[in-house]
Amino acid sequence: MKDTVQQRSLLCLREKTPDGKMACVNALWQDFGHDRLAMDWTEDLSGVQEAGRPEKPGLVAPRDLPRRRLGSVQGQAAMLHAIAHIEFNAINLALDAVCRYPGLPREFYADWLKVAVEEVYHFGLVRQRLRDLGYDYGDFSAHGGLWDLARKTAHDPLVRMAMVPRVMEARGLDVTPDIMRKFEDIGDHESVEVLKIILRDEVGHVEAGSRWFHYLCEQRGLDSETTYFSLIDEYFKGHMSCPLHKEARIAAGFSRSELNHLEALCTN
C-alpha cells in the first residue's frame, strides 16, 4: 500500500531537526513527482497542530528581540538568523497547508510541496551564510509570530491563503530590497545574492497564495477583494505597513485596486 501525501507531509511537519526536515521534504517532493504517494486524507487535523522545531532558537515576544544592527559580525549574523527563522517557519507553513486541507485539486498540493522544497533551499542558503560567519541556526532568540498565524488560520484554507501568503509573505517582498541594500552597504555581497534568490522565489509563493485564494473565493461565490480586506480587518485590525514593493506584488497576483486599498490602510 502506498504512503499518502498527508502522511508524508505530516511526518515532515513533525520532524524537529533542521537537517531531518530538509531531507524529509526533498524525499517527499521526489516521491510526489514520481506518483508514489496516494492522494488520501484520512487524519483529522482540525485540532491545533504544532510544527516540529529544534529546542533552539528559544522563542520570545517580538518586542523582546534586540535590534539587529549590521555594524558588527554579530549584528550581521543576527539579521541572517532572523531570515533563517522565517524560512524554517515557511517550510512548516507549506507542509501544514498540504496535510491540513483535504479535497482540493492535486495542483494545490503540488504548489505547496514545491514551495516547501524551495523554502528548504532558502533555509540552507541562509544557514550556510550564518556558518560562514561562525554562527548557526539556534544561536539567537526568535519569535513565533508566523506559526501563531498558522494556528489562527488552521480552520479554513481560504483564510490561510489570504493571511499567510498574501499578508505575511507579501510583506517579505516589501522589506527584502531594503535588507539587501543594508548588506550591500557593509560589503556582504554573498548575502545579497542569497536574498536575490529568495525574493525571486517568494514572488512565486505569494502568487500561489493569490491564485488559490481567488479559486476558493470563486468556489464560495465571494468577491475576493471584499473578502481579503474583511479578513485584514479581522486579523490585523485593518492595519498594514508600507512602503509596498508594487512591482513584486503585481507579479504575485495583487491588483492595482488592492494596492491602492493597502496603501490607504498604511496611512490610517
Side-chain angles (χ1 to χ4, degrees), residues 124-135:
L125 290 174
V126 182
R127 190 184 192 192
Q128 185 56 55
R129 286 298 302 134
L130 272 172
R131 289 172 166 175
D132 292 344
L133 297 175
Y135 294 86

Side-chain angles (χ1 to χ4, degrees), residues 27-84:
L28 167 58
W29 178 241
Q30 288 294 317
D31 286 345
F32 180 83
H34 288 93
D35 199 26
R36 298 178 186 135
L37 303 173
M39 300 297 291
D40 297 323
W41 271 254
T42 57
E43 188 161 348
D44 180 12
L45 299 183
S46 57
V48 173
Q49 173 66 49
E50 292 299 324
R53 65 176 194 85
E55 290 185 8
K56 292 184 177 181
L59 300 183
V60 300
R63 64 179 177 276
D64 294 330
L65 288 172
R67 293 288 298 276
R68 294 181 285 270
R69 301 183 185 279
L70 300 187
S72 66
V73 173
Q74 185 181 42
Q76 190 178 352
M79 177 66 81
L80 287 166
H81 190 276
I83 298 167

Side-chain angles (χ1 to χ4, degrees), residues 152 163 229-240 265 268:
K152 293 174 182 176
M163 295 295 96
F229 286 100
S230 175
L231 290 169
I232 287 176
D233 285 341
E234 180 178 350
Y235 286 86
F236 291 93
K237 297 181 171 56
H239 176 71
M240 285 288 107
L265 293 180
N268 288 344

Side-chain angles (χ1 to χ4, degrees), residues 106-170:
R106 190 181 193 277
E107 291 79 10
F108 176 88
Y109 308 107
D111 276 345
W112 293 107
L113 287 175
K114 182 174 184 287
V115 169
V117 169
E118 290 179 349
E119 301 293 12
V120 161
Y121 176 52
H122 298 167
F123 175 78
L125 290 174
V126 182
R127 190 184 192 192
Q128 185 56 55
R129 286 298 302 134
L130 272 172
R131 289 172 166 175
D132 292 344
L133 297 175
Y135 294 86
D136 203 350
Y137 182 58
D139 286 350
F140 297 86
S141 296
H143 70 79
L146 264 176
W147 196 252
D148 288 344
L149 191 58
R151 293 189 188 98
K152 293 174 182 176
T153 60
H155 64 288
D156 189 338
L158 184 151
V159 180
R160 173 67 65 83
M161 295 297 105
M163 295 295 96
V164 175
R166 299 196 91 231
V167 174
M168 298 297 284
E169 293 185 84

